[in-house]
Amino acid sequence: MELAVWIVSWALAAAFVIGGAARALLPAERLAGFGLKWVTAVPAPLLKTIGVLEVLGGLGLVLPVLTGILPVLTPIAACGLAVIMLGGLVFHLRRREWQGVPITLVLAAASIFVAIARFAGV
């Protein structure tokens, strides 16, 4: 079980750090060119904030447990990322952007899995 938690944690960390960095650093028009049309419907400061939170959450999935420094932050980071993804799910559903729903659900479910496992001490 611990190996599965680490694999999911690292995969999530990579996805959130890379995706979050793109949202935090690239202009919305460039992101829209990559197929993320929804970014033009969100105010730029909110998009940047989401990006920074995703980067911090992605780092929080692995660094605290890996270093042994405040490992309680890992399940908290996972919960925070799940909340961001559930908010994104509502956003996509309201806009009828069905292509964004599956990946958002997978990321939310994986974040919840990591949160539960880390709260349980795995």
Side-chain angles (χ1 to χ4, degrees):
M1 176 73 164
E2 186 173 351
L3 179 60
V5 175
W6 274 112
I7 290 170
V8 173
S9 296
W10 279 102
L12 279 175
F16 280 115
V17 168
I18 292 168
R23 279 183 271 290
L25 300 173
L26 297 177
E29 296 77 25
R30 180 123 186 248
L31 292 170
F34 293 133
L36 300 174
K37 304 292 184 208
W38 63 269
V39 299
T40 57
V42 176
L46 177 59
L47 183 63
K48 303 301 179 195
T49 300
I50 291 169
V52 169
L53 291 173
E54 287 180 349
V55 169
L56 294 173
L59 294 173
L61 289 174
V62 293
L63 291 181
V65 173
L66 194 63
T67 63
I69 300 170
L70 294 173
V72 70
L73 293 178
T74 293
I76 294 170
C79 286
L81 291 171
V83 168
I84 291 171
M85 289 299 100
L86 293 174
L89 178 65
V90 170
F91 178 82
H92 288 305
L93 290 173
R94 288 179 134 190
R95 292 175 47 90
R96 300 182 189 270
E97 295 175 340
W98 310 119
Q99 73 280 4
V101 171
I103 187 65
T104 306
L105 279 173
V106 168
L107 291 171
S111 296
I112 292 167
F113 167 74
V114 171
I116 291 170
R118 292 300 184 198
F119 273 129
V122 176

